[in-house]
Amino acid sequence: MYKLSISGNSGPSSTLSLVEGRRYVCGKGPESDLIVSNDSVSRRHAEIELQNGEVFIFDQNSTNGTWINGERLVEPRAKLTVSDTIVLGTAVIVLIEDMLPSQATKPKQAEPVAPDPEPEVFADQSYSSSTEHQEFIQQVHKKTLEFLDLHKRSILHKMSDTDLRLEASKAAEQVLNSEIDALPKGINKSELIESTVAEAVGLGPLEPLLADESITEIMVNGYQSIYVERNGKLQKISLQFNSASSLMSIIERIVTPLGRRIDEGSPMVDARLKDGSRVNAIIAPLALNGATLTIRKFAKHRFGMNDLLSRDTLSPNMGRFLEMAVQHRRNMLVSGGTGSGKTTTLNVISNFIPSNERIVTIEDAAELQLNQDHVISLESRPKNVEGKGEVLIRELVKNSLRMRPDRIVVGECRGGEALDMLQAMNTGHDGSLTTGHANSPRDLLSRLEVMVLMSGVDLPVRAIREQIASAVDIVLQQTRFSDGSRRITSIFAIDGMEGDVILMQKLFEFVQTGLDENGTVLGHYQSTGEIPQFYSDLENGGVVMDRSVFVNDSREHAL
């Protein structure tokens, strides 16, 4: 493993151990992992990450640049090797190898060949396999909840999360001490208390999964079956809930603070966790296999363009084109299937909006994280218990037009709000952004026609197409491949109409060339050489445009 040796900063020299997959922010901002208080250092100057045993540094468009071994970093990222020296203002950072004592002192010995490892699981095998153990655990959980409800009901709602967990821990220990004679052999007392606290006031067996940064999605198919997505692949894990009622309690604990409900009268709900992770739950009588819970985790690290480049989501030229298009107020749609990364891409390109503009974001469940200061976030609302109080995305879009927005960003258009969005794009709110589900840009335009008709306004198809052709400037298509990777597979410019057909001009594309022996998708990005009409319009207005992004070169194939 690796460490960063840090000297020359305020305070004594120190070291920072790098954890696989985690990004470390360096800058003078208070949110940085490594704070360098110096006028020559940007608020978010650079980021360092350990990826698959290799260390990379990413410059975050800093004012004075990032310097490695006396040379300024010119590419979006660079690979670091041991003894490389990074200078940020007054701080000197050196990458060193973190040699374990056993590695440094013990000679290598031949090791016996071990059998293939078992698939990774998260459950603690010491008390998860026995029926007797499960029954005892359920009993402890039940008595702890009863104890808290009986003795602490009047003050529980006033406690912070930390105090609530402390009270639950005390209650669990008290209950367990009273049951100590019945404690089955092989159960770890401290682990049982921890799981009881998670069950009583937290999210039960979901907590270790939410803490695992390698997991991007959690799928609960009934209380006895949990799947996760890691690196784009699904796998079943051995964790499970104690009972169906336990799973229902967790779901209610998620949705109730948001003013939402889930019961037989309203068996579906969309919600979010405190960290912004998207939640969907559906229960009986609609879910025949028991309550089903799906959580799309919210990345703790705020993604930027460098993250998309490092994951080969797009090419550098495509990134520069999108940045230019957003800054020059082109209306943009992000198209793709479920889980293809549309919201992540929308969030990244939204951050190219200049900070002096007023932005209104509209979503079903707030997920977007914009870096700008002047952002107004709106969220739709379902019906209450009386069947009243519902606020739809369409109503929020209409209301946003009265809020003096420079830009409107809608998380996803899926109904009649598409008409209002198109009208906003056509009436002075240039540079607005949204996403939609479709398998191709052409399919998305067809879906837009259907969504406009869903608004209840009786318009001829040609009039709808004229609205689309006039409002939309760029369509991105995002695809999730068989190896779990997500890529922007094409970028199209809308170029008016010819007859009844909307003209589309392909600007960039991803060309797949095959699969390697591990099933990894191989291919490269390329420009088609076409230049959109709005480039000429901007140039005629005196704007200097960089046309080099449409020229293919070797950098289009490299990160």
Side-chain angles (χ1 to χ4, degrees):
M1 300 301 290
Y2 297 93
K3 284 184 178 181
L4 299 177
S5 173
I6 306 154
S7 60
N9 199 12
S10 57
S13 299
S14 60
T15 59
L16 177 65
S17 297
L18 300 181
V19 177
E20 178 71 30
R22 180 182 168 187
R23 284 276 180 113
Y24 297 84
V25 179
C26 308
K28 65 181 179 184
E31 72 277 9
S32 300
D33 299 288
L34 172 57
I35 299 177
V36 183
S37 300
N38 188 278
D39 291 339
S40 65
V41 177
S42 300
R43 181 182 180 88
R44 194 183 185 93
H45 197 102
E47 295 180 356
I48 298 173
E49 182 178 17
L50 177 61
Q51 297 179 1
N52 300 320
E54 297 180 323
V55 182
F56 297 90
I57 186 167
F58 305 80
D59 183 81
Q60 299 298 299
N61 297 318
S62 59
T63 303
N64 295 310
T66 300
W67 296 76
I68 305 170
N69 300 328
E71 295 183 2
R72 181 167 179 161
L73 178 63
V74 294
E75 296 296 330
R77 77 167 186 173
K79 179 181 175 182
L80 298 177
T81 57
V82 174
S83 299
D84 276 352
T85 301
I86 306 158
V87 177
L88 297 180
T90 57
V92 178
I93 306 168
V94 181
L95 180 66
I96 60 177
E97 194 163 7
D98 185 11
M99 184 72 74
L100 297 175
S102 59
Q103 293 175 315
T105 59
K106 292 183 180 180
K108 279 193 172 182
Q109 296 181 355
E111 297 182 356
V113 177
D116 292 337
E118 293 294 323
E120 182 178 5
V121 295
F122 293 89
D124 182 81
Q125 299 298 329
S126 62
Y127 62 87
S128 63
S129 56
S130 166
T131 302
E132 177 191 3
H133 290 185
Q134 285 293 339
E135 290 175 353
F136 181 80
I137 293 167
Q138 290 177 20
Q139 188 72 7
V140 172
H141 288 176
K142 181 180 178 182
K143 289 187 176 182
T144 300
L145 289 170
E146 291 173 351
F147 182 91
L148 285 170
D149 188 52
L150 181 64
H151 298 281
K152 304 287 184 178
R153 177 188 297 177
S154 61
I155 61 172
L156 285 178
H157 69 282
K158 301 176 183 177
M159 292 183 178
S160 65
D161 287 346
T162 302
D163 292 338
L164 191 59
R165 284 182 175 271
L166 183 60
E167 285 298 328
S169 181
K170 291 178 181 177
E173 189 164 7
Q174 200 164 333
V175 168
L176 193 55
N177 287 337
S178 68
E179 300 282 336
I180 198 68
D181 293 337
L183 182 68
K185 186 177 179 181
I187 285 188
N188 184 298
K189 182 179 175 182
S190 62
E191 290 176 344
L192 178 53
I193 291 175
E194 185 178 340
S195 72
T196 302
V197 171
E199 183 82 19
V201 298
L203 299 179
L206 299 180
E207 291 198 348
L209 307 181
L210 291 167
D212 188 337
E213 294 186 11
S214 67
I215 294 175
T216 54
E217 199 141 5
I218 302 168
M219 291 144 277
V220 181
N221 307 332
Y223 77 95
Q224 292 181 311
S225 176
I226 301 179
Y227 286 80
V228 299
E229 181 190 83
R230 180 187 277 110
N231 300 322
K233 302 290 186 180
L234 292 181
Q235 65 181 91
K236 186 175 182 179
I237 61 172
S238 63
L239 281 177
Q240 63 181 51
F241 289 84
N242 288 323
S243 63
S245 60
S246 171
L247 173 55
M248 277 302 304
S249 296
I250 298 298
I251 294 174
E252 290 169 357
R253 198 171 295 153
I254 292 172
V255 304
T256 301
L258 301 175
R260 308 196 174 191
R261 68 187 183 100
I262 185 165
D263 50 39
E264 286 190 5
S266 180
M268 296 183 293
V269 68
D270 286 314
R272 67 179 186 278
L273 301 181
K274 290 181 180 179
D275 66 354
S277 296
R278 184 194 305 174
V279 177
N280 174 269
I282 180 168
I283 63 172
L286 302 185
L288 303 183
N289 297 330
T292 301
L293 179 67
T294 308
I295 301 176
R296 181 166 296 172
K297 287 176 59 180
F298 194 86
K300 293 180 174 61
H301 164 70
R302 187 175 293 186
F303 271 56
M305 182 56 70
N306 285 335
D307 296 286
L308 299 187
L309 291 170
S310 68
R311 287 161 173 78
D312 200 21
T313 302
L314 75 173
S315 72
N317 280 351
M318 292 164 70
R320 286 192 288 272
F321 169 77
L322 294 177
E323 180 177 4
M324 178 284 309
V326 172
Q327 291 177 346
H328 289 286
R329 306 182 68 87
R330 299 299 103 181
N331 295 320
M332 199 175 302
L333 306 181
V334 181
S335 168
T338 300
S340 61
K342 299 186 300 298
T343 303
T344 299
T345 297
L346 180 67
N347 200 87
V348 170
I349 62 178
S350 296
N351 286 314
F352 288 134
I353 298 173
S355 59
N356 62 347
E357 296 188 13
R358 178 176 171 88
I359 308 166
V360 178
T361 67
I362 302 170
E363 302 171 85
D364 273 327
E367 292 181 272
L368 295 173
Q369 273 194 321
L370 274 64
N371 292 324
Q372 297 87 341
D373 292 328
H374 203 165
V375 178
I376 313 300
S377 298
L378 306 180
E379 188 177 64
S380 65
R381 188 177 70 183
K383 297 176 183 176
N384 59 20
V385 178
E386 291 80 24
K388 300 178 181 179
E390 182 179 30
V391 180
L392 300 174
I393 289 283
R394 186 177 186 191
E395 296 173 52
L396 294 177
V397 173
K398 289 180 179 178
N399 186 78
S400 71
L401 301 178
R402 306 183 185 100
M403 299 173 66
R404 199 263 177 214
D406 290 304
R407 312 261 189 153
I408 300 173
V409 181
V410 178
E412 181 184 344
C413 279
R414 59 167 69 92
E417 65 271 8
L419 175 61
D420 303 286
M421 190 69 181
L422 291 173
Q423 290 178 330
M425 290 175 171
N426 272 322
T427 54
H429 299 91
D430 297 332
S432 295
L433 309 167
T434 188
T435 73
H437 278 78
N439 294 323
S440 71
R442 179 65 69 182
D443 287 347
L444 181 61
L445 299 186
S446 298
R447 279 208 67 215
L448 275 177
E449 295 177 22
V450 174
M451 286 189 278
V452 169
L453 293 173
M454 290 169 64
S455 68
V457 178
D458 188 15
L459 291 173
V461 172
R462 181 176 175 81
I464 296 173
R465 290 179 181 174
E466 287 174 347
Q467 283 275 315
I468 295 172
S470 175
V472 180
D473 296 306
I474 297 168
V475 182
L476 284 69
Q477 182 65 36
Q478 187 131 348
T479 303
R480 176 180 170 182
F481 287 86
S482 58
D483 61 353
S485 62
R486 296 165 172 87
R487 292 183 171 91
I488 296 176
T489 50
S490 61
I491 299 178
F492 282 80
I494 304 301
D495 196 20
M497 290 187 63
E498 187 173 282
D500 290 334
V501 179
I502 299 174
L503 298 178
M504 303 183 68
Q505 186 179 22
K506 184 184 288 188
L507 307 178
F508 298 93
E509 63 182 344
F510 174 75
V511 180
Q512 183 175 345
T513 56
L515 300 172
D516 67 10
E517 62 276 7
N518 298 318
T520 302
V521 172
L522 303 176
H524 62 271
Y525 294 99
Q526 66 182 26
S527 166
T528 63
E530 298 289 336
I531 299 177
Q533 177 60 41
F534 68 79
Y535 257 60
S536 298
D537 297 339
L538 290 170
E539 288 171 337
N540 292 336
V543 180
V544 177
M545 304 299 294
D546 178 14
R547 292 182 175 238
S548 65
V549 297
F550 301 105
V551 178
N552 290 312
D553 57 38
S554 58
R555 287 175 296 178
E556 284 293 274
H557 305 269
L559 293 180

